[in-house]
Amino acid sequence: MKNVLTIAGKELRSYFVSPIAYVVLTGFLLLGGWFFFNLLARFNFLLSMYTSLRNPEAMTRLNLNEFVIAPLLHNLSVVLVILVPVITMRSFAEEKRGGTYELLMTSPLSINAIVLGKFLGAFVFALLMVGLTAVYPLILMLYGNPEVGIVASGYLGLLLLATAFIAVGLLTSSFTENQIIAAVSCLVSLLLLYIISWPADTSGEVLGAILRYISLTEHFGEMVKGVIDTRDLFYFVSVIVLALFLTHRSVESIRWR
Amino acid sequence: MPRSNGLLGLIGVILLLFAGVTGFLTRGRSSFDLLYIGVHGLVGLFALIAYLSAGVENLRRFVGERSTKYGANMIVSSLLFVVILAALNYLSARNHHKFDLTEAHVFSLSPQSISVVKNLEKDLQIQAFVEGGINPELRDLLTGYGDQSAKLSYQMIDPDRQPELAERYKVSAYNTVRLEYGGESTTITQPNEENITNAIIKVTRTTKKTVCAIEGHGEPDTDELQDARGFAAVKNGLANENYEVKKILLASLEGVPGDCSVVLVAGPQKPYTEHEIKVLDEHLKKGGRAVFLIAPRSGEQFATMLSSWGIKLGNDVVVDQVVRLFQGPALGLAPLANTYAPHEITRDFKQRTIFPMTRSLQADTAGKKGLQVTELVKTSPSSWAETDLDGLFLRSEASLDPAADRKGPVAVAAIVEAKLKEMGSGDGEARLAVFGSVEFADNRNLEGTYYNRDLLLNTIDWLVGQSDLVSIRTKSVRASRVQFTQDQGTVIFYLSVLVIPELLLLAGLVVWWRRE
């Protein structure tokens, strides 16, 4: 466990001594802030419009959760699809390229500790990313009255999504010593997981159900709506565990290849 | 092993992979698909065989290598892991629990619905006919039902792609949901939780209710399908809701048969005998249920009887000439109505109903105890109850005479709840419904553009007192607001869009500067 924490600490430090962390965080929050402010402005516009039209029915449907927080979280999830590969691309690939991989592999550290440590480091970074965006719902709670349960469930969903993305990113990074290939293959995998359910409605009962189940968006979408289902939690944990297991296998293979 | 040989093997594997994926996605529907899959499969297989046969010796050595063993071991163990995870996910999907964090529990079924679904004894199939087979909201709702019981299954159907199903079940509009339980079935056209749950209650109820249509006075025939004036549409609509329709000849009977849940008196052309009127009155006084469709200039003997139940039949015809705009030169004898009294029959009713050739009705409970009369449907303010029937029918003239005619809105349908104890004639409750029109329910108008079918069937449901039907409020995420001044808005903008990213960027610059 101590080894895991040591590696996680080193990994996290390596993010912050290089400009990558700052560029990624700045970009993420710049986009997040832009989404948030514009969604809020649109909400205010709708509010004033319905008020002036005296449309009481529409007024009862206007709420911050569906009009601001849900679209914000969905947009952030798309940004994560693009940014997470940038964070994780270096984790194994850079070590291979830089020649520190052999050092790492011949050290007394177990492969479990290496993989878990790198995962933990990246996870803390993702926690920071998602955590910083919490300022938006905090602003809403300060000036308005959104449903807190839905906000909490949505943010849990975003964090699980980011964590699953990171696990996939570690896996693709462990395959190659080229960071671009690592990032692009991660991006493609995540996008595929994101959109794989698109033909689900028109592809028959069983296949449709499978495609929907595999897709990250379906599980994430439920949580954004305010529903936490043990099925969705289990799915996210499965993706994370599977990706880490395969990463472990991939890292281990260097010992006999 | 020569390098080019290895490449051949790799190409073979890639081609076979593409053939497999294409086969899975296209299922080889067109000849081009087959060509693509065939060429890829054959060439891939050939390349692989060439690779393998060119180096059987190499292969043997390759298989014997340590790394091959490890590699195979890795692939097998990874596949095993995937299979185990897939199985666990399957189990978790089958036995899951949902926590609805919305304040109103928007995504959870109400307790009534859950208990209805949990009490299912046979398999219940639900078919939802929706545009393109896609309606995420309805699917979520039906999934919610399916989660409660393994006996309930549902299917989303695109009626345009499976027109034969739509034809078989007489589905003519999108968002129609059909439920089938045992031999019973019903359809609903506004699928929400309340309607679906009530439809389940309806189909699962085993006892059949009987509607007894009285015949022998020139009433429209409930078997007449071709004639626009026939009543087969009523019979079909009722059959769809689990009712049986039976014709009875009241003149030859001592009383209304015991199995009649509702008596239907529809547009008699010839007068009823006194015996028949008496039998009907007694039926009601014993807590019976009846629906009367009494058109103008007919059934005058019912006036006395109905007035003792609190309803005054107007000797008039309702005219609404606004309709002329759309129908050309006409008297306006088919008024449209869209004013409904708040009642469980007309709850959520926003649509129009048409009442061709209708008389007006009036609640008249003065001096009568125990009667609660509701004027259920009213025509528009531009209509009036024309009393000059000669002028109307002989000279085709109609004009509002303020002295004699009643100005609209006038009631054209009314219902009565009678507490028999308070009336001094026994125990329990009698219910009756009166419509001023017969054509209102004939083949042409019942299934036509307007919502006459829903009105009539809801009324009959209410008459037989299906009190176990539940009412479920539609739930939504509660409305929420945000309020800030112009200045606070500026602060929000600076904080969310500018300050935080700026601080992060500066922090990055400082770190970079120090490392440089």
Side-chain angles (χ1 to χ4, degrees):
Chain A
M1 193 59 211
K2 195 162 158 281
N3 291 340
V4 174
L5 289 182
T6 314
I7 295 180
K10 177 192 153 282
E11 191 74 7
L12 202 57
R13 259 195 310 282
S14 77
Y15 288 132
F16 284 98
V17 293
S18 77
I20 293 182
Y22 301 96
V23 172
V24 167
L25 280 176
T26 307
F28 187 62
L29 284 153
L30 204 62
L31 286 172
W34 190 247
F35 291 142
F36 170 70
F37 189 78
N38 284 291
L39 286 165
L40 189 62
R42 181 173 148 266
F43 180 82
N44 251 349
F45 169 73
L46 286 177
L47 191 63
S48 60
M49 191 175 77
Y50 289 140
T51 312
S52 65
L53 289 176
R54 293 180 210 284
N55 188 340
E57 204 197 337
M59 296 286 280
T60 61
R61 275 186 279 116
L62 269 188
N63 65 72
L64 291 166
N65 292 90
E66 279 170 20
F67 284 78
V68 179
I69 291 172
L72 173 72
L73 290 178
H74 279 290
N75 289 347
L76 287 180
S77 76
V78 176
V79 178
L80 281 177
V81 169
I82 300 160
L83 289 187
V84 165
V86 178
I87 305 166
T88 56
M89 65 179 187
R90 35 188 307 291
S91 59
F92 288 101
E94 194 181 57
E95 304 244 20
K96 283 182 190 171
R97 175 59 58 91
T100 50
Y101 199 54
E102 281 75 16
L103 222 58
L104 197 63
M105 296 309 288
T106 48
S107 71
L109 294 166
S110 72
I111 295 176
N112 276 333
I114 296 170
V115 172
L116 282 181
K118 283 186 176 288
F119 171 68
L120 197 63
F123 169 75
V124 173
F125 187 78
L127 196 64
L128 190 72
M129 267 173 104
V130 172
L132 280 173
T133 65
V135 69
Y136 313 135
L138 286 180
I139 290 174
L140 289 187
M141 278 175 222
L142 197 64
Y143 293 107
N145 56 342
E147 286 194 25
V148 181
I150 306 179
V151 175
S153 144
Y155 263 82
L156 177 65
L158 191 67
L159 186 63
L160 283 171
L161 194 75
T163 312
F165 284 3
I166 279 172
V168 173
L170 288 184
L171 177 63
T172 56
S173 178
S174 76
F175 286 151
T176 171
E177 57 174 59
N178 186 322
Q179 293 191 27
I180 305 289
I181 293 181
V184 170
S185 49
C186 178
L187 177 75
V188 170
S189 316
L190 294 183
L191 262 183
L192 198 63
L193 279 176
Y194 207 89
I195 58 168
I196 201 163
S197 66
W198 282 7
D201 284 320
T202 51
S203 52
E205 291 291 305
V206 178
L207 184 62
I210 293 175
L211 289 178
R212 255 194 288 278
Y213 189 81
I214 295 175
S215 167
L216 284 162
T217 348
E218 298 281 325
H219 300 273
F220 173 60
E222 288 294 301
M223 298 184 81
V224 171
K225 278 179 358 192
V227 178
I228 296 185
D229 196 314
T230 52
R231 183 173 47 183
D232 300 326
L233 298 181
F234 197 87
Y235 167 82
F236 280 119
V237 171
S238 300
V239 171
I240 295 165
V241 168
L242 177 65
L244 289 183
F245 173 82
L246 294 178
T247 310
H248 179 276
R249 297 265 105 161
S250 157
V251 172
E252 192 190 35
S253 74
I254 192 81
R255 295 215 159 137
W256 47 262
R257 263 196 292 149
Chain B
M1 201 185 305
R3 222 172 104 76
S4 60
N5 202 357
L7 184 68
L8 200 62
L10 213 57
I11 289 177
V13 170
I14 289 176
L15 288 182
L16 281 177
L17 206 67
F18 268 80
V21 170
T22 314
F24 177 73
L25 289 180
T26 65
R27 311 230 174 91
R29 284 199 194 91
S30 73
S31 49
F32 182 78
D33 296 338
L34 289 176
L35 185 73
Y36 184 93
I37 297 166
V39 167
H40 277 67
L42 278 179
V43 175
L45 208 62
F46 183 74
L48 208 61
I49 290 170
Y51 160 70
L52 291 178
S53 58
V56 177
E57 202 44 44
N58 293 337
L59 187 70
R60 195 169 295 143
R61 205 173 59 226
F62 173 71
V63 168
E65 266 174 28
R66 207 169 68 95
S67 65
T68 312
K69 274 186 198 153
Y70 278 112
N73 181 6
M74 183 181 101
I75 291 171
V76 169
S77 67
S78 302
L79 282 180
L80 200 67
F81 196 79
V82 170
V83 170
I84 291 172
L85 262 188
L88 287 176
N89 270 275
Y90 180 74
L91 288 178
S92 109
R94 294 293 296 247
N95 308 290
H96 63 116
H97 190 76
K98 205 163 85 171
F99 302 92
D100 188 343
L101 300 193
T102 56
E103 285 171 12
H105 296 288
V106 177
F107 302 103
S108 309
L109 293 184
S110 66
Q112 295 106 306
S113 302
I114 293 174
S115 87
V116 166
V117 177
K118 284 211 188 295
N119 285 331
L120 288 176
E121 281 160 7
K122 287 179 264 178
D123 285 338
L124 173 70
Q125 277 107 34
I126 300 181
Q127 291 163 313
F129 292 85
V130 292
E131 189 169 6
I134 302 170
N135 185 335
E137 259 173 54
L138 184 56
R139 198 188 65 217
D140 284 352
L141 183 60
L142 292 175
T143 309
Y145 279 95
D147 286 346
Q148 297 300 329
S149 165
K151 292 205 169 68
L152 188 149
S153 59
Y154 72 90
Q155 220 187 335
M156 309 294 283
I157 296 172
D158 179 358
D160 299 319
R161 274 203 298 170
Q162 292 177 278
E164 75 288 353
L165 282 179
E167 180 63 32
R168 190 189 312 159
Y169 301 128
K170 304 257 176 289
V171 172
S172 54
Y174 290 130
N175 290 329
T176 300
V177 173
R178 178 176 181 276
L179 296 93
E180 190 172 335
Y181 182 81
E184 309 297 341
S185 65
T186 187
T187 52
I188 48 175
T189 48
Q190 285 173 307
N192 53 31
E193 189 189 348
E194 174 169 5
N195 291 344
I196 292 175
T197 300
N198 284 331
I200 296 175
I201 293 174
K202 266 189 207 167
V203 288
T204 51
R205 192 185 294 110
T206 44
T207 53
K208 264 211 153 147
K209 305 272 181 185
T210 308
V211 174
C212 295
I214 296 178
E215 59 172 1
H217 318 87
E219 287 93 347
D221 190 350
T222 51
D223 289 324
E224 179 56 61
L225 199 62
Q226 302 302 328
D227 188 356
R229 298 272 168 264
F231 258 40
V234 172
K235 188 178 180 175
N236 290 341
L238 287 169
N240 200 14
E241 304 262 318
N242 242 349
Y243 288 91
E244 193 186 342
V245 176
K246 198 168 87 172
K247 293 185 209 170
I248 60 169
L249 197 61
L250 206 52
S252 62
L253 295 172
E254 278 288 301
V256 172
D259 63 343
C260 291
S261 320
V262 181
V263 176
L264 172 67
V265 178
Q269 312 253 321
K270 299 271 182 292
Y272 275 46
T273 63
E274 266 176 40
H275 167 73
E276 288 173 306
I277 299 276
K278 203 178 100 208
V279 164
L280 276 177
D281 201 37
E282 277 168 5
H283 169 70
L284 285 173
K285 281 184 177 146
K286 280 187 286 190
R289 313 285 154 109
V291 50
F292 298 87
L293 309 176
I294 313 286
R297 300 202 297 176
S298 71
E300 295 313 325
Q301 337 148 251
F302 289 100
T304 327
M305 178 200 157
L306 288 177
S307 113
S308 73
W309 290 95
I311 289 185
K312 197 173 139 199
L313 292 181
N315 191 17
D316 50 26
V317 173
V318 181
V319 177
D320 188 351
Q321 299 196 324
V322 171
V323 185
R324 284 181 79 164
L325 289 173
F326 308 103
Q327 292 190 336
L331 278 171
L333 295 185
L336 291 176
N338 66 346
T339 311
Y340 304 102
H343 192 271
E344 60 173 276
I345 295 176
T346 48
R347 193 151 36 92
D348 299 332
F349 241 65
K350 291 193 182 97
Q351 299 84 2
R352 290 165 192 278
T353 40
I354 188 167
F355 282 80
M357 193 57 73
T358 185
R359 73 197 316 158
S360 74
L361 308 169
Q362 256 181 304
D364 177 22
T365 51
K368 302 182 189 85
K369 274 189 190 159
L371 292 174
Q372 192 194 333
V373 181
T374 310
E375 294 186 345
L376 198 61
V377 184
K378 283 187 178 159
T379 54
S380 75
S382 62
S383 64
W384 73 90
E386 175 66 57
T387 48
D388 179 12
L389 298 186
D390 284 347
L392 195 64
F393 291 107
L394 299 179
R395 298 188 299 275
S396 296
E397 286 169 7
S399 61
L400 177 61
D401 171 7
D405 299 344
R406 206 144 51 85
K407 174 114 184 59
V410 292
V412 289
I415 50 164
V416 182
E417 275 172 275
K419 300 266 180 292
L420 295 173
K421 204 165 190 178
E422 289 175 41
M423 291 178 75
S425 66
D427 238 352
E429 192 186 67
R431 287 181 177 184
L432 56 151
V434 184
F435 292 85
S437 164
V438 181
E439 289 175 37
F440 152 80
D442 66 19
N443 287 345
R444 181 167 57 187
N445 290 307
L446 201 72
E447 298 291 0
T449 325
Y450 302 100
Y451 280 75
N452 293 14
R453 179 179 186 273
D454 297 57
L455 180 62
L456 185 70
L457 294 182
N458 283 4
T459 304
I460 290 178
D461 278 346
W462 174 79
L463 283 174
V464 296
Q466 302 200 325
S467 53
D468 46 352
L469 298 189
V470 295
S471 91
I472 301 160
R473 203 168 54 86
T474 313
K475 293 169 287 189
S476 61
V477 173
R478 79 163 152 72
S480 51
R481 300 276 176 271
V482 67
Q483 230 177 359
F484 45 82
T485 61
Q486 189 76 42
D487 289 347
Q488 285 166 332
T490 312
V491 171
I492 293 173
F493 176 74
Y494 272 88
L495 187 65
S496 60
V497 183
L498 297 174
V499 175
I500 299 177
E502 188 184 9
L503 286 177
L504 286 164
L505 199 62
L506 287 176
L509 270 179
V510 169
V511 170
W512 172 75
W513 183 258
R514 281 175 53 182
R515 283 180 64 83
E516 284 291 296

